Amino acid sequence: MANLAQRKMTVRDATLALMREFGMTTIFGNPGSTELPLFRDFPDDFRYVLGLQESVAMGMADGFAQATRNAAFVNLHASAGVGHSLGNLFTAYRNYTPLVVTAGQQARSILPYEPFLYSQQAVDFPKPFVKWSIEPTRAQDVPAAIARAYYIAMQRPRGPVFVSIPVDDWDQECEPLAARKLGTEIRGDADVIAAVADALSSAKHPAIVVGAGVARDAAWSEVIALAEQHEAPVWVAPMSARNSFPENHRLFAGFLSAGREAIVSAMDGSDVIVVLGGPMSLYHTEGFGPHVPDGAQLFQLVDDPSMASWTPTGMATVTNLKSGITEVIARSRPPKRAARPPRAAAPVLDGSAFTDSYLLQQIARVRRDGAIIVEEAPSSRGPMHDYLPILEEDGFYTCSSGGLGHGLPASIGVALGRPGEKVIAVLGDGSAMYAIQGLWTAAQLDLPISFVIINNKRYEALIGFGRHFGMQETVGTKLPDIGFCDLARGQGLEAMRVERPEDLDQALAASFDNPRPNLVEVVVE
């Protein structure tokens, strides 16, 4: 009994020790009363990153987890905090980002009386945007719940999980729990891998489509090798949230739109289409007809069984993309194919029209090698494809859910996860306002981020989508009189406003050379 007593520790100490073994020593959050006991005697080797709203904390954790390829720890305040975070929790779910999300719950002894600041159905609240959710039955079960949450978050397909923890659990005694090694990699079906290799080798006009799964599995070099082996053009899957192929490569073909007819038109002439880390058939508007061109064979290597199950046609297997592509390369015996001409470059803009396209062109020209782009400017995504090519591995992050308020805090998380590297956050004016208080955290942490605000004084993406429905005017889309420089300076950032094209390059160069967080507001036509 004496040995058992010596092994006892508090739930808090056991959990922090476990988190240390998992490499989760950065906690993102906005604390409330039911979370405070977690931080008693907070260890020096941990850091707490404060977001001024829970959605900001969630977005920062998402960017950090993607940048480090390890689950990040998020601590939220009961029902209200979880509710605030749900938009960016949905984005993390769609981004396949591993997060261990925790929230405080009221003390167990008063839960039968529906106390103030409690969560009535804590386990169900974040569903369906978490892979797993639990409120442990006993305080002593909290460390095991955190461990299981971490393992599930890191298993393919990765994603967020949720643990609700009563406030009085942290000071209870429990036994320590050691971390386990748990394999998370998945190897694709050998028959499907062989079929992909055979089809590519016998194809007359093969094509490759890459999605964010390639970047998640660090298969950048493997995709390049596969494309060059088969002299196959490489397209980017619709709405891909990461970069998976160098956009200045001679085999880069462009970006697929999120519409059925547009995809079929773009892929016309291809007889074998191999989708890597897709999906290819991600649609934003209703469409009809076939999902691939007539006579084309479709194969998919993906990291999500659900995606493999709902793909509308063709053959699919679930695999780690790096190993799956490597096996396809090893099995392929392609014929000699003629080299493809490179994709035509977009016309050079002279700045006579001060548009978002011109701004993005100049960002591409002025940025330094190795700069990371984090983007949330939906109406400028098309011009970005034309004028701001992403050239380096892990050089681009964006939101895959379509929700707003992710990009600004995600850029902070990426900067934390990749210390010493320059981050350029390209944000629409409407998007930036969803999480503008994140600038304060960037300033407090003194991170090397340039926030570039594309100010067109309206929700341009919504206006463009209104035209799809035949609307000549959309209500609630104008955004006049927002002073982004004032908002930035009020939170501790340096800021400048650009209204003329002749002032743009100097402003961008000063911003990109600045080691401190700063903001450039660019007023475009």
Side-chain angles (χ1 to χ4, degrees):
M1 293 295 294
N3 289 338
L4 181 61
Q6 290 174 1
R7 291 180 61 203
K8 293 286 187 179
M9 56 173 45
T10 65
V11 168
R12 175 181 54 259
D13 291 339
T15 300
L16 291 173
L18 195 61
M19 291 168 60
R20 189 177 286 113
E21 290 191 71
F22 290 141
M24 293 192 300
T25 56
T26 298
I27 298 177
F28 297 89
N30 183 283
S33 56
T34 54
E35 293 74 51
L36 289 179
L38 168 60
F39 305 110
R40 182 181 288 121
D41 301 323
F42 198 56
D44 292 339
D45 60 327
F46 279 67
R47 64 177 172 182
Y48 187 90
V49 179
L50 173 62
L52 298 186
Q53 209 259 14
E54 287 85 354
S55 66
V56 173
M58 187 70 74
M60 291 191 296
D62 186 336
F64 184 76
Q66 289 194 68
T68 60
R69 290 191 168 90
N70 188 35
F73 192 92
V74 187
N75 185 243
L76 305 174
H77 181 42
S79 293
V82 175
H84 288 159
S85 76
L86 284 181
N88 275 336
L89 180 64
F90 171 55
T91 292
Y93 181 75
R94 297 293 296 179
N95 280 353
Y96 296 92
T97 303
L99 299 177
V100 176
V101 181
T102 59
Q105 172 67 291
Q106 269 292 6
R108 292 178 185 273
S109 64
I110 59 174
L111 285 179
Y113 311 112
E114 298 195 4
F116 187 65
L117 285 176
Y118 93 118
S119 183
Q120 184 173 14
Q121 297 179 357
V123 173
D124 294 329
F125 192 12
K127 293 179 180 178
F129 305 128
V130 290
K131 294 178 62 181
W132 182 69
S133 181
I134 192 173
E135 185 173 278
T137 304
R138 305 179 307 153
Q140 291 73 19
D141 298 328
V142 169
I146 295 294
R148 185 176 178 185
Y150 177 83
Y151 300 138
I152 293 175
M154 291 297 290
Q155 287 171 349
R156 312 285 174 157
R158 291 177 174 170
V161 295
F162 179 78
V163 183
S164 172
I165 306 171
V167 63
D168 52 337
D169 283 5
W170 294 110
D171 293 319
Q172 301 298 311
E173 285 192 339
C174 73
E175 295 183 16
L177 181 68
R180 296 185 290 122
K181 174 64 178 177
L182 186 66
T184 62
E185 298 304 334
I186 299 173
R187 187 163 185 168
D189 183 278
D191 290 340
V192 177
I193 296 291
V196 173
D198 291 345
L200 279 172
S201 296
S202 60
K204 293 182 178 180
H205 303 289
I208 295 171
V209 178
V210 292
V214 169
R216 290 193 294 269
D217 285 347
W220 172 271
S221 298
E222 288 74 16
V223 170
I224 296 172
L226 182 66
E228 292 176 349
Q229 181 186 44
H230 290 278
E231 199 63 30
V234 178
W235 296 82
V236 176
M239 306 291 187
S240 182
R242 299 284 297 276
N243 64 305
S244 302
F245 193 79
E247 295 169 22
N248 60 346
H249 194 283
R250 64 181 180 81
L251 290 173
F252 180 67
F255 300 84
L256 296 179
S257 300
R260 186 185 303 190
E261 293 90 346
I263 291 171
V264 172
S265 176
M267 305 305 296
D268 188 37
S270 302
D271 57 351
V272 172
I273 303 169
V274 177
V275 181
L276 306 171
M280 181 181 79
S281 49
L282 178 66
Y283 306 137
H284 191 200
T285 56
E286 190 176 21
F288 303 94
H291 297 277
V292 296
D294 290 342
Q297 292 180 278
L298 180 68
F299 299 88
Q300 295 203 63
L301 276 61
V302 296
D303 57 355
D304 181 359
S306 176
M307 189 186 303
S309 70
W310 63 251
T311 187
T313 187
M315 186 181 296
T317 188
V318 180
T319 184
N320 172 277
L321 272 298
K322 193 178 189 72
S323 62
I325 297 169
T326 299
E327 289 187 51
V328 172
I329 292 171
R331 288 175 175 267
S332 295
R333 298 293 183 269
K336 181 71 174 177
R337 296 187 175 104
R340 288 179 54 86
R343 178 176 179 242
V348 176
L349 304 176
D350 62 6
S352 56
F354 199 13
T355 61
D356 57 350
S357 295
Y358 181 73
L359 166 60
L360 294 162
Q361 172 186 275
Q362 298 312 107
I363 290 175
R365 289 181 171 183
V366 176
R367 66 179 166 178
R368 309 307 183 223
D369 291 344
I372 303 162
I373 303 294
V374 181
E375 176 265 338
E376 190 180 293
S379 64
S380 297
R381 182 71 65 83
M384 181 177 179
H385 291 163
D386 292 333
Y387 289 101
L388 181 52
I390 307 300
L391 310 178
E392 300 176 27
E393 184 177 8
D394 291 332
F396 177 73
Y397 300 82
T398 192
C399 163
S400 63
S401 72
L404 300 182
H406 169 265
L408 193 155
S411 69
I412 298 169
V414 170
L416 282 169
R418 297 175 64 173
E421 299 185 60
K422 182 66 177 182
V423 175
I424 302 172
V426 179
L427 308 169
D429 50 352
S431 297
M433 289 304 297
Y434 276 72
I436 198 67
Q437 62 269 60
L439 296 177
W440 178 87
T441 303
Q444 292 297 309
L445 298 174
D446 202 27
L447 297 171
I449 307 174
S450 293
F451 298 95
V452 180
I453 307 296
I454 306 174
N455 188 352
N456 56 24
K457 301 181 181 180
R458 58 186 187 175
Y459 290 122
E460 180 62 34
L462 194 59
I463 292 172
F465 208 74
R467 298 188 188 105
H468 173 76
F469 294 107
M471 299 170 64
Q472 299 303 311
E473 183 175 351
T474 50
V475 300
T477 56
K478 297 179 181 179
L479 300 173
D481 306 323
I482 299 176
F484 284 97
C485 291
D486 293 335
L487 289 168
R489 295 185 188 112
Q491 297 181 73
L493 271 69
E494 302 171 34
M496 64 189 88
R497 179 181 171 98
V498 179
E499 297 179 322
R500 303 186 308 167
E502 54 265 35
D503 299 329
L504 180 61
D505 286 5
Q506 183 178 355
L508 292 176
S511 172
F512 298 165
D513 287 341
N514 192 339
R516 300 199 65 248
N518 65 89
L519 181 143
V520 181
E521 176 187 3
V522 184
V523 182
V524 299
E525 297 176 12

